[in-house]
Structures are given as structure tokens and as C-alpha cells.
Amino acid sequence: MPFETPLALAALASIIPLIILYLLRPKPFIIKIPSLMFLMKVEQKKRFSTIRKLFRDPIFLIQLLVLILLSTAAASPFLTSEEDLSGEHTVIIIDSSASMQADNRFAEAVRLAEGYVSKENTIILAKNIPEIVLQEGNSGDAKSQLDEIKATSTVADLSAAISEGMRILSERGGRIVVLSDFGSWDGNDPVESKQLAESYGIDVSFVPVGSPVNNIGIIDGWIDQTPNGYEYNCIIKNYDSSRKTVNVDIKSGDYADRVSLSIQGRNTEAFKITNLGTGITEISISNKDSFTEDNTAYVSIPSNTVIPCLIITDTPRLPSSLALSLLPGAKLSTSTGVPSVSDLNNYRIVIVSNKNTVLSKEEVTRLSTFLNSGGNVVFVASKALDPDVADDVQKLLPIEISGIDEEHRGTEVKITQETRLTDDIKYDEISLYTFLNSTLKEDAVAVVTTEDDIPLLAYMEKGDGIVLYVGFNDRLEFDDKEEDVWNNFHNLPEYPVMWARIVALLGEAGDIGDYNLKTGTVTQLTGERDVLTPSGTITTNRVYFEETGIYTIGSNSIAVNLYSDSESDTTVDPKKLIERSMTTDEPKVVRETTYTAEKHLENYLIAIVIILAIIEILIIRKRGEL
């Protein structure tokens, strides 16, 4: 019999103390002695009969058997057998893309899905990233979960959802049911994924929902910056076969206007809104149709995109200073020391990039107060942060520094977490020669590290603010002729991009595109935040923008729109894809029709132990010892 944890059988050694205990402390019994001359004979008889009586004692035998069974159960014994692939497990995939909201398609898909519920069920929502909302639940769990799910405003990757279903059914088999309007999808062709799953012995059924309906929708929009401010470009498409007059309402604060467009069938029309004011502008089509998700677009223009920044340094002409001064969203000031708390409050971000000057205890206290009141501080690696000379500043950093390391041949740099700080930056092209050897503090997050996991870009919350550590020293080679530069990052085109990302993240601002997103976008926050979504408030550190409307994060309002020609095309007939998925050729099965099942026995052994314990109690009670 195989065991999952055979080392647990060592517990069988526990029967040795049990036997010794019973030998040393045999059960007392009464002997009638007719004469003193027989004392020696009786004693001799007692010694010879002890072991025989021991194994006739039911209490001893029960306790011995209990120890053996418990030790065996701890080793998790199991039996193997070849079982036929089961059809009782059903993976139900429901398309939750934006087009499924047209003409109540999603509600119809949920209703049809209830008819496919079996003994064991997994439910997957097909989005641009598939979401498993129920795994291996019973029929009651499945029906309860179907009542709670809802459609999103993203594009669905049906192929990825089918692949996820294949993974779940890979061991014991089952079937996959896909309910969708099959109008559009991301990723690979779902028909090819269906054929692949069937080649592995998994039955896949495509169930179409809905019927083609006409639609007029906003399929694209973008914002341009002009000398006079911002202007919005909007594209509207008429999916009907005949010309339509489309009325577009524009609202921004107290301002309201209407634009009328005549759009030919299956064609698009563009218009602009100039001199956009700050705040939210809403553009909506007043024509009624069966698909409302693309009838409204939102534009967000922040009231203040300029972020006041202060760089504290003892070195002129720093690459970081140059990069920050060129950012249109940053207003940069320079200081040789930490100013008073009242002056610090005039800035949103403070960058400390001293070469040799160590911050005093008083300066560290000012920065700590600034952080507690919601300010943000960036520390750039240098000798001025070495704990041998700068002990006070260590309490503010997201890392514990142990010293300065050198790698004359350079060490590799890697991204450990995808965030806004890593977008469009090739950290793997950096040559790193000198760096601060450190470890991450408990509540900190490392975004970029060396190949040995030494933090190079890390942050943590401090009070109401955020402190960020940049492990790339940014002094130029001519700053100090007798020493080599720490790295070559400031020579790469991605260097100013990193500082733009830092300002955008810590300043909760940035490019106008950060305020206007498409559905399906994912943003990593610096910590747990309350996020107001179009459907309610959530607390998260990772925002998945899957609804159209306005998201509010802190003081920022983010407009999220569908902008998808394929999802807005609700005139697509799913019959063509269904016909293409139906093949007369039997798929070539490339896997076995059975699987090796493991039947674990520990529960049965524990049940026997419980029964034996009850029997032992009854025996003791009968003897009058309880």
C-alpha cells in the first residue's frame, strides 16, 4: 500500500512505550495463598503468565490498535485504480464582455447556463482576463453563483477561458459549455481552442445567445493638447444599413450643447470638442438602441496637472534635476537642505539626492512630519545614506541598508512587480556597478531588484504619505574624477521616463492619458485605497477598470470608456462561427480515456479509531473503573 507521507510511519514507535508501560504496571489481581510455603511458587507462576495475560487484556489491545491506526493514518495511505474519465464535471464559460449587455443577452446566457448545471461545476467569466467565480462546486453552489454574476464592459478572451477550463478538467475529464454571442473576442480563435480541447477527450459545446440588433455607438475618442488647452476627438459609428440622424448631447458642469450628425449606414462620423474645461465632460447619444454601453463617453481633465517638487542636493547638474525640469507636469525647485515644515507643505514631492551631505536629525524629523501629513519623499542612493554615517534617516527608508557593494563586471537588474514605475522602461539594460546592499522592510514593496533580490526601487506607506527609494545613484562621472559612476542608467533614454512615472505616481497626476482609460486596463496602486467605482466603493491595491463611467481614487477622477468597434458591432450573427465549429471529422484523441485515481484511506482509519475509543470506554465502565 503506497503512502503519501511515509515518514509519518515513524510514529509506530509509540507502541514500544505502551508495551513497556503495561509490563511495568501489570493489572493487579487477587491470589489465595493456603500456606507460606507456596509463596515462591506463586511468584514464579506470575512472572511466566504476565505476557500471556497482557495480550489477553482487551484494553491493551484496543490502545495498541489505536496507536497503529493513528500512525498509519498520519502517513496518508491510499489505493490507486484506473477510472474512466468522468462527464459529471461541467465547466460553464459565460461571455461577460460588453456586447453581452445588448438586448439582455447576458441574462439569457445565465438562464441557459442553469440547464447545464451538473453534479460538479466550475463557472468561468470570460473577460480579457478569465475569472473563475466557482471551482468544483455542487449544483446548489452553481445556481447561487449564477444569480450573482454580472456582465462587464471589457472584451472577452474566449480562447483563454477555454484553456482555463481544459486545465481544470485535465486530470479527470468532463465537458465545457461556452455561452456567448460570439460577436468578437480577444486572443486566439475560440474554434481552434474548442478543437484542441476535443482532441484531449473533453467535450466542448458552443451555445449562442441573442440575435443581431442594430446599434449606434461611440467607438473611439482621444484628447489632444493645444495652445489653448485640450480638445476631444470623438468617433461615432452607425451599424445600421440605412442613414441615421444622430443627436449627441455634451454636458460639462453648467455647460450643455447638442450636435446633430447624419451618418450613412455602416459608416463613421467624427467631431471635436475644443477648449475643454476641467472636470468631467459627458458625451452621450440620445438615440435609443439595445446597447447602451457605447452610447456615453466620459472625458476627465484634472484641475491641476502641475506638481510642485523640491530636490534637495549638494551636487549641481544632477541627471535627476535635468529630467524633472523637463517634465511638463512638474514644477521643480532646488535646495541644499531640508526647509521648514511650513515650506515643505508647499510641495507634493521631495527628492533627497545628496552626494555626501548627511541629513541632520532635525531634517529627518521635518521629513517625517511632511510624510505624516500626506507628503511624499524620494531618497536616491548615495554614500549619504550609508548607515555608518547616516543612522537617523534609516527609520524613514523602506529598506534596511547594511553597506555599499561593488560589482566591477556589473550585476543584472530585474523587475519583480509590474506597476506604473515599470511601464516602458527596460531595466534589464542597466549596468549596475555600485549599489547599497539592503533588505526590504516588512511593509515595503520592491518593484525592481538586483539578480540577488537587493531592492533598487522600493516604496512603503509612511503616515499618510509614501516614501520611495531609488537605488540608482544619479551623479555624473565628472562629478568625482577619482571614483567610477555607480551605473549607466542616466545615459539611457528610459531614465527621464522613470522620473515621469515617479512624479505621476506620487503626485497622483501625470499625463492626461492617465485620467482617460479604456475598459480592461489594470492599475497597481501604492497601497490599499478606497476606490469609488461606477457600481460602488471597493478597497484594493489593484484596480481593474471593467465598467464604463467614472472611477474616483483619492482626489483624482478617471474616465473609463469602452471604445471598441468589435464590441459595439451587435449586428454579427453567431451562426457563422457555430457552423465553422461543427466539423464532420472526428477529432483525434491524443490522451487516454482513463486516469489514475487515488483513494485516500485516512478518514476510514480515523473512523475506526473513534469506534475503538467508544468500545474502550464501555469496557472500562463495565469493570467499574469509570
Side-chain angles (χ1 to χ4, degrees):
M1 178 187 299
F3 297 90
E4 192 170 286
T5 54
L7 289 177
L9 292 174
L12 287 171
S14 60
I15 67 176
I16 298 175
L18 178 69
I19 295 173
I20 294 174
L21 179 63
Y22 269 82
L23 288 175
L24 293 177
R25 300 180 62 187
K27 181 181 177 181
F29 58 92
I30 300 172
I31 301 176
K32 294 182 179 180
I33 305 175
S35 175
L36 292 175
M37 63 182 293
F38 296 105
L39 279 174
M40 298 301 298
K41 185 177 179 181
V42 171
E43 182 64 28
Q44 184 181 23
K45 182 178 178 181
K46 177 182 175 182
R47 286 199 302 266
F48 282 112
S49 63
T50 299
I51 297 178
R52 288 196 301 270
K53 289 186 177 182
L54 176 64
F55 284 97
R56 288 200 299 268
D57 186 348
I59 298 297
F60 170 76
L61 293 176
I62 288 174
Q63 292 177 351
L64 180 66
L65 189 55
V66 166
L67 288 177
I68 294 174
L69 291 176
L70 288 177
S71 301
T72 306
S76 189
F78 60 89
L79 299 175
T80 60
S81 62
E82 291 296 317
E83 302 286 345
D84 292 333
L85 291 176
S86 171
E88 294 182 343
H89 190 174
T90 302
V91 174
I92 301 173
I93 298 174
I94 301 179
D95 184 351
S96 65
S97 63
S99 62
M100 289 291 288
Q101 299 188 46
D103 203 25
N104 293 320
R105 293 176 181 178
F106 190 79
E108 181 183 354
V110 171
R111 180 182 61 81
L112 292 173
E114 293 180 351
Y116 291 95
V117 172
S118 62
K119 183 178 180 181
E120 188 175 14
N121 306 273
T122 293
I123 300 175
I124 300 176
L125 289 183
K127 308 177 182 179
N128 59 335
I129 303 174
E131 178 185 359
I132 300 175
V133 295
L134 175 68
Q135 186 162 350
E136 300 178 0
N138 58 37
S139 58
D141 295 334
K143 290 180 179 180
S144 297
Q145 190 63 55
L146 286 173
D147 292 336
E148 297 178 4
I149 60 176
K150 62 180 182 178
T152 63
S153 298
T154 63
V155 179
D157 190 339
L158 295 176
S159 178
I162 294 172
S163 298
E164 190 66 25
M166 286 177 59
R167 181 190 65 79
I168 294 171
L169 299 177
S170 60
E171 183 181 352
R172 290 184 286 176
R175 63 173 179 166
I176 297 175
V177 179
V178 184
L179 300 103
S180 171
D181 58 8
F182 298 106
S184 63
W185 56 82
D186 265 353
N188 297 327
D189 187 344
V191 173
E192 295 178 359
S193 298
K194 176 180 184 291
Q195 293 170 346
L196 177 62
E198 290 173 338
S199 73
Y200 278 82
I202 299 174
D203 179 51
V204 182
S205 300
F206 280 178
V207 181
V209 295
S211 57
V213 292
N214 291 325
N215 181 42
I216 300 172
I218 301 171
I219 64 168
D220 202 1
W222 66 93
I223 303 170
D224 290 329
Q225 187 169 8
T226 68
N228 297 323
Y230 295 99
E231 66 178 22
Y232 174 68
N233 300 269
C234 185
I235 306 294
I236 297 178
K237 186 170 183 177
N238 174 20
Y239 291 92
D240 199 352
S241 57
S242 60
R243 180 183 291 272
K244 296 288 184 181
T245 298
V246 182
N247 295 318
V248 183
D249 293 325
I250 304 167
K251 297 179 181 179
S252 179
D254 296 331
Y255 173 80
D257 194 9
R258 168 168 284 195
V259 176
S260 293
L261 304 172
S262 180
I263 308 176
Q264 293 183 359
R266 309 297 299 183
N267 273 312
T268 62
E269 192 72 28
F271 70 95
K272 290 184 179 181
I273 303 175
T274 59
N275 298 324
L276 283 171
T278 59
I280 303 298
T281 300
E282 181 179 316
I283 301 95
S284 59
I285 297 173
S286 62
N287 303 58
K288 301 299 181 182
D289 55 37
S290 300
F291 184 43
T292 60
E293 284 300 291
D294 60 357
N295 286 353
T296 304
Y298 303 90
V299 181
S300 177
I301 305 296
S303 58
N304 183 14
T305 58
V306 177
I307 302 169
C309 302
L310 172 67
I311 184 166
I312 299 170
T313 181
D314 57 2
T315 305
R317 297 174 296 179
L318 282 177
S320 55
S321 298
L322 178 60
L324 289 166
S325 65
L326 297 176
L327 294 179
K331 181 181 179 182
L332 185 64
S333 301
T334 304
S335 174
T336 56
V338 179
S340 64
V341 174
S342 59
D343 289 338
L344 283 175
N345 290 332
N346 295 323
Y347 303 98
R348 201 177 304 177
I349 302 173
V350 173
I351 301 101
V352 180
S353 185
N354 283 333
K355 175 184 173 183
N356 295 308
T357 304
V358 178
L359 296 181
S360 66
K361 186 175 183 178
E362 184 181 352
E363 289 178 313
V364 171
T365 301
R366 293 173 191 168
L367 290 176
S368 179
T369 303
F370 176 64
L371 283 165
N372 290 331
S373 62
N376 304 286
V377 179
V378 180
F379 288 96
V380 181
S382 71
K383 291 182 178 180
L385 296 182
D386 190 336
D388 291 340
V389 295
D391 183 59
D392 293 325
V393 78
Q394 303 304 310
K395 64 182 181 180
L396 296 184
L397 298 174
I399 58 171
E400 295 282 353
I401 302 173
S402 58
I404 300 176
D405 275 8
E406 294 184 0
E407 291 285 348
H408 297 293
R409 294 184 179 180
T411 186
E412 293 184 6
V413 177
K414 63 180 182 180
I415 296 173
T416 57
Q417 184 169 337
E418 296 287 345
T419 69
R420 292 173 67 183
L421 296 177
T422 61
D423 290 345
D424 304 320
I425 302 177
K426 299 177 181 178
Y427 286 100
D428 55 351
E429 295 184 357
I430 298 173
S431 297
L432 189 67
Y433 306 107
T434 305
F435 53 91
L436 296 178
N437 194 344
S438 63
T439 56
L440 199 66
K441 288 184 179 178
E442 183 178 356
D443 296 329
V445 176
V447 177
V448 179
T449 68
T450 68
E451 57 185 343
D452 296 325
D453 296 325
I454 296 173
L456 294 174
L457 205 59
Y459 63 86
M460 68 182 297
E461 294 184 8
K462 198 75 173 178
D464 292 331
I466 295 171
V467 58
L468 173 70
Y469 166 71
V470 177
F472 306 103
N473 182 282
D474 67 345
R475 71 175 177 81
L476 294 173
E477 188 173 4
F478 55 77
D479 288 338
D480 197 340
K481 290 295 184 180
E482 71 274 8
E483 295 184 21
D484 295 328
V485 293
W486 287 32
N487 59 80
N488 69 333
F489 192 13
H490 53 267
N491 293 325
L492 300 180
E494 287 89 353
Y495 184 76
V497 177
M498 180 195 72
W499 282 106
R501 296 286 183 268
I502 290 174
V503 170
L505 181 69
L506 299 184
E508 295 187 340
D511 187 83
I512 195 67
D514 294 330
Y515 295 89
N516 297 272
L517 305 175
K518 291 181 64 174
T519 56
T521 304
V522 180
T523 295
Q524 186 77 29
L525 304 178
T526 54
E528 291 281 338
R529 302 285 297 276
D530 288 336
V531 179
L532 179 61
T533 74
S535 60
T537 301
I538 59 174
T539 301
T540 182
N541 62 354
R542 189 170 184 265
V543 185
Y544 181 32
F545 298 97
E546 60 180 10
E547 301 177 71
T548 58
I550 303 300
Y551 285 71
T552 302
I553 305 175
S555 60
N556 295 327
S557 296
I558 301 173
V560 181
N561 299 294
L562 176 60
Y563 292 156
S564 172
D565 184 14
S566 58
E567 284 297 312
S568 292
D569 190 357
T570 56
T571 64
V572 177
D573 193 338
K575 291 181 180 179
K576 294 181 180 179
L577 181 136
I578 299 299
E579 291 173 357
R580 188 161 56 89
S581 68
M582 303 296 292
T583 176
T584 56
D585 298 330
E586 289 295 329
K588 182 180 178 182
V589 179
V590 298
R591 65 163 292 165
E592 299 294 333
T593 57
T594 62
Y595 73 98
T596 301
E598 295 181 358
K599 188 173 184 179
H600 288 261
L601 306 177
E602 55 264 31
N603 289 337
Y604 299 101
L605 298 179
I606 292 173
I608 295 173
V609 167
I610 294 173
I611 294 173
L612 290 173
I614 294 173
I615 294 173
E616 181 182 3
I617 292 172
L618 293 175
I619 293 174
I620 294 175
R621 184 175 181 181
K622 185 176 181 181
R623 289 178 174 180
E625 299 175 4
L626 185 63

